[in-house]
Amino acid sequence: MYQVASSLSLIIRFWLCYITIETLPVFSNEAIEWVLGQVISIYTVFRLICYPIVGVLSRKMEIKSPTAKSIMYFILYIPLAGIYWVILLILTHVMGVLPI
């Protein structure tokens, strides 16, 4: 069951980030956008935020199931990506700061 939950989570997260975050450029130069996106990926930052939170919550709630942990990760990741997307929207369309 873990493989199904994990794979489904990855597919949904990838798709949502692709149709939201990936549509808003941070840099006007595509080469810089690509290089920085590969070196310091925002998705790595999301992972660094979500994994420890899931670890702490799973210990406090005594959750041992990898499937449940995968679902918790998904539940934390999606709002985090949504918040980031809204911030990018505001910086791009409202404030006109991005792309730089």
Side-chain angles (χ1 to χ4, degrees):
M1 186 63 179
Y2 168 73
Q3 291 292 7
V4 172
S6 179
S7 297
L8 189 59
S9 169
L10 178 65
I11 290 168
I12 293 170
R13 286 183 288 124
F14 177 79
W15 179 73
L16 285 175
C17 289
Y18 179 76
I19 65 169
T20 58
I21 294 171
E22 294 296 324
T23 61
L24 298 170
V26 175
F27 299 99
S28 57
N29 185 325
E30 288 184 29
I32 294 172
E33 180 87 28
W34 184 84
V35 169
L36 286 179
Q38 299 303 315
V39 174
I40 307 171
S41 171
I42 189 65
Y43 308 113
T44 303
V45 174
F46 288 172
R47 189 177 310 129
L48 292 173
I49 292 169
C50 291
Y51 273 1
I53 293 171
V54 168
V56 168
L57 289 176
S58 63
R59 278 192 296 276
K60 282 187 178 184
M61 300 168 77
E62 298 180 6
I63 296 172
K64 305 278 189 228
S65 167
T67 304
K69 291 178 184 178
S70 178
I71 293 168
M72 285 175 61
Y73 179 78
F74 177 78
I75 290 171
L76 286 170
Y77 193 100
I78 294 302
L80 188 62
I83 291 167
Y84 182 71
W85 181 56
V86 168
I87 290 169
L88 285 178
L89 276 175
I90 291 169
L91 290 173
T92 304
H93 297 294
V94 176
M95 300 177 80
V97 174
L98 295 178
I100 52 176

